[in-house]
Structures are given as C-alpha cells and as structure tokens.
Amino acid sequence: MSELAKKIKRKLTPGEYRIQVRIWVQWAFFALAAGPLFVLAPIVKQLPAPWYVCWSCPTGSGACALGTLQHFTGAGTFSFFTVGFLGLLGVLIGRATCAWVCPMGFLQEMLYKMKRYGSYIVGIIIFVTTMFLAWFTPFLGTAWNVTRDLSGKYSSYGLNYLLESGQMNAFIFWLALYLVIAVGFSLIFFLPQRKFTLPNSLAQFMRWFFFLFPFIFFVIITRYNFDTGTWGLGEVWWCKICPIGTITAGFPQMYLQAIPQSAFPIFGLTSTAFIGLSTYQGIFGEAQLMYFIKWTMTTGLMWLMINSKRFFCKGICPLGTIFNIFNWVSANKIKVDQANCRGSSCNWCVNHCPMDIAIYDPTAQWHCIRCLDCLACPFGVVKHEVSPIFKWLVKEPPAKNIPALKEPNPPNNPTFMQWAGFVDYTPPQARK
Amino acid sequence: MAANRGSFISRWIFLPIALVLVFMIAWGIIGKKLVVVPELTQGSKNITGVVSDIDFDNKTLKLDVNEEIEEGQPTSWTVDFSSAKKAFAIKKIGEEPGTELVIRADVAGLEGEYERYDFDVENLSQTLKDGDVITFIGSKKMSTAEFKASIMHLGGIFNAPELHERQEPAEIYKTAVILCIACVGLGESNLFWFWLIMALLLLVILGWVVTRIVIGKGGVA
C-alpha cells in the first residue's frame, strides 16, 4: 500500500478531522462571500457580513460591516442593528468568524502555505496589474494635467492616452518609470521567503494603532465635509485606505473595466439583477495618486501575508479588533491547563496555530480566532470551554494520559485579566 | 474563592451582554420605522429654459423654462449670477456645439445647497444674450429624503448600481458613488499629504518588523 493510500485509509484523529472540516467550511464561505455564490447577493447583502469583503466586490454578497458603520456615522445616525449583530456574534462565538467564515482569513492562510513558486505567481500578478493600471489609469496622474469635467468626472490619462495622442517622449519616459515600479513591486516576491512571527505585543500595538487612529478617528471625521468646510456627510476615509477593498474591489473593478461590453454583455451592464453581479462604468480616471498609495500598501501587505501567518488579521483588521473585544466575555473560549502545559519548551500549539500565537499565554486571548486547531494538542492540555448553556453542543474529549512534568512551574502572580476574573487562576497555596 | 468567582463571571457574563445586544438588534429593526438620512441622497436636476431680461449691471436674468419641471414649481425663474455662495452650473446650448458656458448663480425659488463649481465668468456679456437656451445642470441636495426602512438599510446598503436596479425611492447620486468606489481611492484627496505621511509611517513600522523580527530577533509572544 502506498504512502498516500495509507494516509487516506488512516482514520483521522478528532483534531485532524476538525481541521479538515474547517477548511471545507472556509471554502464554502469563500464561495458565498466572494465567489460563485454571489447570486445570493440580493438576500445576503441585507445583513452586515461578519467577514471582510468589500461590498463593491463584483462578486461580493454581503454588506461590509465596517462600511456600514462609517456610512451611518457619516449620516449622523447610529447603526444599532450592525453593532448589535456584530456584538452578538462576538459574545456567542468570540472571533470564530475570522477562522471559519472570513474569506480574507482563508486567503491569508493559503498565501502563507504557498511554496516558492506560488510566491512567484503572486509576483507576476503584481507586475501585470501594475502595468495594467499604468496603461489605463492616471495612477501617478497628478503629475499630469488631469482635469475634471462638469459632472466632476476625471478624464483618464494613462499610457494608452500618451501613445494615442502621439506624445512619444512622455510615453517612453512614463513607460520606463512604470516598468521600474512594477519590477520593484514584484521583485520582493521573487526573493527567498523569510517566514516570521509577529509578536503578540507588537500585534497588539498595531491592532489598536490601526483601529483607534485610522478607523475610529476617521469614522468620526466622516461627519466633516472638507469640500464645504462644514459638518455633514464627508467621505469614507477608511475605505480609501482599506487594503481588503483594494484586493476584493479595487483590482477586480478595474479589470472589469477593460472588458469590452460587446464582448461579454454581462459586464457591460451597470448591474445585473438576474445574477447579482455589480460593476461600475468609467472609473479608470478615478484611480490616481491615492490609488497608487493604496496599491503600494497592498503590495507590501501581500508580501507580509506570505511571510507571516494572518498578518492582516493579527495586526490590522478593525473588524477583528471589534470581535477581539468580545473575546473576553465570549461564551466560546479556549482554556489551557497551565499546570500541565509545557509552554515555550513545547510550542506545538504555536506551530499549528493559524494566527501564530501561543495560546498558553493569557494575553493571546486578544488574538485567538477560535479555530480550535490547538485542541489537537498531543498532551491534551488545551480544552474547549463553552458556557454551560451550550454544553450540549460540545462533546467532551476523552482524557489523555498526560505524562507528568518534572518541574511544573506556573507563575505565582496572577495577570491583570486573572486578577479581574476573566481568566482562571489558582493561587499557589491551592495547587497540589 | 477568587478562582470560583472568576470562573462564574467568565462563564455567564456573556448572557446579560447578549441580551443587551439582542435588544439593540430589535431596536434597529423595529424601533425605527424610517431611517432619516439627511444629506445622504441627492438628486440631479436639469432645467432648460430661454434667457430673457439679462441685466449685467445687477447680474440677473430671467429664465423661462420650456415645460413645467415639477408640480407646483414655477415656469419662470429669476437667476442671480452674482453670488459665489451658492453655485449652480448653467450650460449654454445652441450656437456652438461642443462649447459650454457655465456661470455661478443663485436661483430664486430653489432652496438648499448645490454643488460648487468653479467657473470663469469673464466675457459673460459677450456670450450670453437674450434668447439663448441654457440648461441648469446642478445637483440639488434632498435633505428631507428618507430611506424606506428595512433590515437591508439598517444593516447595510446596496451599492449604487444595485440601488438603481432595485428602483429605490431616493436616487443615490454623489454620496453613494463616493461610498462605493472608494476602493479605488478616488483620485485627489484633501488629506492626501496626511495619508502620504501615514503610508510612510506604516513603512517605518514594517521596516521595524522586518529588521527586528525577520533578521534574527523574532520570538513567540
């Protein structure tokens, strides 16, 4: 019997089985949120999505919860439904949606698992996309005389315009410049991969930096209209820098622009109600220097996603930060038997964690996405703890024969969260 | 005791919070029958009419519209094109196809704020005369517009093409376009330099990550 046949025939352990199930669930939600199941958009878009896909994604079938919050804040109202919906998910299942549902989380897991040649493919895509944008859009267009007509629409001045208008010197100059930029962008994906761990402390800092500063602050100033200098509906600033918006909507919408309407009538329609696909017309001119900044940031982020597990989820995602807050009060928790855990001398959980966190560290609760992969701990010290109300949902695994530690040495002093009662803590006197 | 108390809180604290959140959801759905979204919806308005009684000293003119625009709206408009506070575009059509004349104007009878355009009003007296047919192409903010309440609008919102397809009662003009294609960055920005600094700051952070972690000193937690 071949090795493959042995692997197939071998019965999966509960932990391995759970990981397999999670991958299939991720595929299913990928199809729903940003894939072929976009036909369900008229139904699913009626709810704020617990995943992170731009609602301008041509195949997006959910309303971006963060966009909704901005939208309502800008309109001077509070979205009770969105906040309640996200909060309820958070208190019931913690951050589990990040692990089981979010297509961007799935994409990052796939990017991280990619081998060397997968990285090359990403580099080629980055190169082609950069040149595509340079050809059709102003991109670095503020260097040119980009004008607006009466309707406020930008004229499109790309490389194609320079070529068609016979400005050969300018064409060659800008072509060379764009080639240098495109090669520079794609080159980093051809370098040897250097996988690294984003430390919890830095991730924590980044998370709150990106959440408090750009998101909350700019959601607030969404109320300020810089055009008129008055308080009112301004612009959605988070969307302007959102890398997920760039990946799921910014690029696809631009590519769809290039498809001749006569060639594929579906894309020629402003909206196709019968399949739910949604595209915009004439937005090449909108992609200017701001878009170039977004593109640069997204390119860098793609490299980080390849080299660090779920970099965006761990250090940036505002939606994840909202769920993180509820992680502490969630009915769905991961509990570690600190007395028997080998901690940093083992790190099996760290190596298998899609978020690259040490679950035995109490501060890891901020980042834990409840994927449940760590429940496959060979020593059985990681337990799934749910509220007594939901006990019937979780099957208690059989106790494992845990070899005794020679020198179990849990910390004596409680952490702040232990002190506050959110994390179990046994005083040294009460320990055997 | 501390361990027991902590355990009890951590296991049950979700329940009162969940109840509050359920109430929020219910309030979001049931509590408001209509969600008033001021300044969110805008309607574009085109008014075509014949110019008469041009007074370049007082910078006023009279515009006789060809047909009744809306029920209750007058068919004759007094246009004051001296003010720069409220801008309203006027497009001249007729004699020279392809050329457009735009001026700033206050239009008596129309309330609300309009899109601001910057025009060159030079040589106006040479290009505009009685009998010209001109078109207002401004966009009027419909500050009293209301969305029909539904779960969709309480939770999220469809993007512009989809709203158009669904024939929602309010026409989404500027705001929805900004909302929905913000993914492309929307070209120029008032805070461009700020974002440039932010991007540089991000690069500094990433640089720190690379140097600190990738090159040797990385670790768990």
Side-chain angles (χ1 to χ4, degrees):
Chain A
M1 190 181 289
S2 67
E3 286 297 315
L4 179 64
K6 283 180 185 175
K7 282 184 180 177
I8 294 172
K9 195 168 185 179
R10 182 173 67 83
K11 191 178 178 183
L12 294 173
T13 65
E16 290 172 332
Y17 180 72
R18 192 182 297 110
I19 292 170
Q20 292 292 322
V21 169
R22 189 167 74 87
I23 291 173
W24 283 110
V25 171
Q26 283 179 307
W27 270 115
F29 275 95
F30 189 90
L32 173 66
L37 290 182
F38 64 87
V39 290
L40 299 175
I43 301 168
V44 186
K45 261 195 178 173
Q46 297 183 14
L47 288 171
W51 54 71
Y52 204 175
V53 171
C54 183
W55 55 18
S56 286
C57 174
T59 55
S61 57
C64 173
L66 299 173
T68 306
L69 290 176
Q70 283 186 100
H71 190 110
F72 275 74
T73 307
T77 57
F78 183 76
S79 181
F80 285 97
F81 185 86
T82 306
V83 175
F85 182 77
L86 294 180
L88 191 62
L89 274 177
V91 294
L92 290 180
I93 57 175
R95 216 183 145 178
T97 51
C98 302
W100 295 77
V101 168
C102 182
M104 285 305 106
F106 184 46
L107 177 71
Q108 288 177 79
E109 287 184 19
M110 294 295 108
L111 284 173
Y112 182 81
K113 288 175 183 173
M114 278 192 322
K115 302 296 182 188
R116 194 173 162 193
Y117 294 106
S119 183
Y120 294 168
I121 292 171
V122 174
I124 292 168
I125 291 172
I126 296 288
F127 177 84
V128 171
T129 305
T130 307
M131 292 311 296
F132 169 83
L133 293 170
W135 188 263
F136 285 109
T137 73
F139 213 28
L140 287 172
T142 47
W144 299 326
N145 292 322
V146 178
T147 56
R148 277 199 292 188
D149 58 21
L150 274 177
S151 63
K153 193 175 169 183
Y154 287 92
S155 303
S156 177
Y157 284 59
L159 284 173
N160 64 334
Y161 172 80
L162 293 176
L163 186 63
E164 289 171 0
S165 60
Q167 302 177 50
M168 293 309 294
N169 287 339
F171 173 76
I172 293 170
F173 171 77
W174 286 102
L175 178 63
L177 179 65
Y178 279 129
L179 276 172
V180 170
I181 292 171
V183 169
F185 279 176
S186 57
L187 198 61
I188 58 173
F189 295 93
F190 287 85
L191 297 174
Q193 290 183 1
R194 298 290 299 271
K195 307 284 186 186
F196 66 93
T197 296
L198 184 65
N200 286 356
S201 53
L202 180 60
Q204 192 88 324
F205 167 77
M206 287 178 62
R207 172 177 303 289
W208 287 102
F209 175 82
F210 283 107
F211 183 71
L212 288 176
F213 195 52
F215 188 69
I216 292 184
F217 178 67
F218 284 112
V219 163
I220 291 171
I221 68 163
T222 298
R223 291 287 297 150
Y224 190 77
N225 192 325
F226 285 89
D227 287 337
T228 60
T230 57
W231 287 95
L233 184 62
E235 296 187 51
V236 280
W237 292 103
W238 175 255
C239 294
K240 280 177 176 287
I241 60 165
C242 178
I244 302 303
T246 314
I247 293 171
T248 59
F251 305 155
Q253 291 287 1
M254 285 296 173
Y255 274 119
L256 287 177
Q257 295 290 302
I259 299 177
Q261 297 183 19
S262 57
F264 198 177
I266 286 175
F267 298 115
L269 302 175
T270 54
S271 177
T272 50
F274 61 100
I275 58 169
L277 190 68
S278 162
T279 64
Y280 297 98
Q281 300 298 310
I283 60 170
F284 272 145
E286 303 283 359
Q288 298 179 39
L289 201 50
M290 196 77 183
Y291 191 83
F292 181 73
I293 294 174
K294 276 168 66 89
W295 178 222
T296 307
M297 293 168 70
T298 305
T299 305
L301 197 62
M302 293 279 279
W303 182 83
L304 290 166
M305 287 174 181
I306 288 174
N307 287 281
S308 184
K309 290 180 179 176
R310 284 188 178 241
F311 187 91
F312 181 80
C313 304
K314 197 172 177 182
I316 299 173
C317 181
L319 190 61
T321 307
I322 292 172
F323 284 132
N324 267 2
I325 297 167
F326 293 102
N327 254 1
W328 294 99
V329 294
S330 169
N332 178 26
K333 288 180 179 171
I334 300 296
K335 183 182 177 184
V336 178
D337 181 0
Q338 296 285 357
N340 289 306
C341 179
R342 277 126 179 93
S344 57
S345 63
C346 167
N347 275 342
W348 183 93
C349 54
V350 181
N351 295 329
H352 290 76
C353 176
M355 285 286 277
D356 222 4
I357 60 174
I359 194 64
Y360 55 79
D361 178 2
T363 61
Q365 287 290 337
W366 279 110
H367 308 286
C368 178
I369 56 173
R370 309 292 193 252
C371 65
L372 310 183
D373 287 4
C374 54
L375 295 189
C377 169
F379 298 105
V381 299
V382 184
K383 298 281 174 55
H384 189 196
E385 186 183 66
V386 297
S387 176
I389 292 180
F390 303 111
K391 277 286 185 189
W392 56 277
L393 277 171
V394 179
K395 187 179 178 183
E396 193 73 29
K400 289 188 178 179
N401 184 20
I402 305 170
L405 273 175
K406 290 181 180 177
E407 296 178 358
N409 188 29
N412 290 333
N413 296 323
T415 64
F416 174 78
M417 298 311 290
Q418 286 174 324
W419 175 81
F422 290 108
V423 178
D424 282 350
Y425 170 65
T426 307
Q429 308 89 296
R431 295 175 193 153
K432 289 182 180 177
Chain B
M1 290 300 290
N4 290 337
R5 191 180 69 223
S7 178
F8 177 80
I9 292 174
S10 67
R11 284 179 185 175
W12 292 103
I13 195 170
F14 85 95
L15 205 54
I17 297 174
L19 289 174
V20 171
L21 293 165
V22 168
F23 176 76
M24 284 178 72
I25 294 174
W27 178 260
I29 296 173
I30 304 167
K32 288 187 175 183
K33 291 296 180 187
L34 282 174
V35 180
V36 181
V37 190
E39 300 180 20
L40 182 64
T41 56
Q42 299 180 354
S44 59
K45 183 183 288 294
N46 292 343
I47 307 171
T48 300
V50 183
V51 175
S52 62
D53 299 341
I54 299 182
D55 183 351
F56 288 105
D57 294 329
N58 296 317
K59 295 185 178 177
T60 58
L61 61 84
K62 186 180 174 186
L63 185 75
D64 299 312
V65 296
N66 299 331
E67 54 186 322
E68 193 173 356
I69 309 162
E70 295 175 10
E71 190 176 350
Q73 293 277 18
T75 54
S76 179
W77 304 77
T78 302
V79 179
D80 175 4
F81 51 86
S82 63
S83 171
K85 292 179 182 177
K86 292 179 181 177
F88 207 87
I90 295 180
K91 178 182 177 184
K92 180 185 176 185
I93 54 178
E95 294 176 359
E96 299 176 9
T99 59
E100 294 176 346
L101 168 70
V102 286
I103 59 175
R104 294 167 189 259
D106 273 353
V107 184
L110 283 178
E111 295 180 353
E113 297 180 4
Y114 303 97
E115 291 300 304
R116 185 182 299 167
Y117 295 97
D118 294 321
F119 317 116
D120 181 11
V121 293
E122 297 289 329
N123 304 320
L124 183 64
S125 59
Q126 298 174 13
T127 51
L128 192 65
K129 61 181 184 297
D130 284 353
D132 282 347
V133 178
I134 62 174
T135 299
F136 290 82
I137 53 173
S139 302
K140 180 187 176 187
K141 289 181 178 176
M142 299 162 64
S143 60
T144 56
E146 293 178 339
F147 272 117
K148 183 184 176 186
S150 68
I151 296 176
M152 175 190 77
H153 289 135
L154 292 169
I157 190 169
F158 286 80
N159 54 29
E162 290 164 340
L163 266 181
H164 184 70
E165 191 72 34
R166 294 170 69 92
Q167 297 183 339
E168 291 293 322
E171 182 182 0
I172 302 297
Y173 179 61
K174 180 184 176 186
T175 307
V177 172
I178 287 177
L179 270 175
C180 297
I181 59 173
C183 57
V184 297
L186 279 179
E188 64 181 10
S189 165
N190 300 85
L191 294 181
F192 167 72
W193 289 108
F194 177 83
W195 283 119
L196 190 60
I197 294 170
M198 283 285 288
L200 291 174
L201 192 60
L202 179 66
L203 285 176
V204 170
I205 293 174
L206 295 182
W208 186 86
V209 170
V210 172
T211 53
R212 174 83 180 172
I213 302 162
V214 180
I215 308 175
K217 292 193 175 182
V220 176

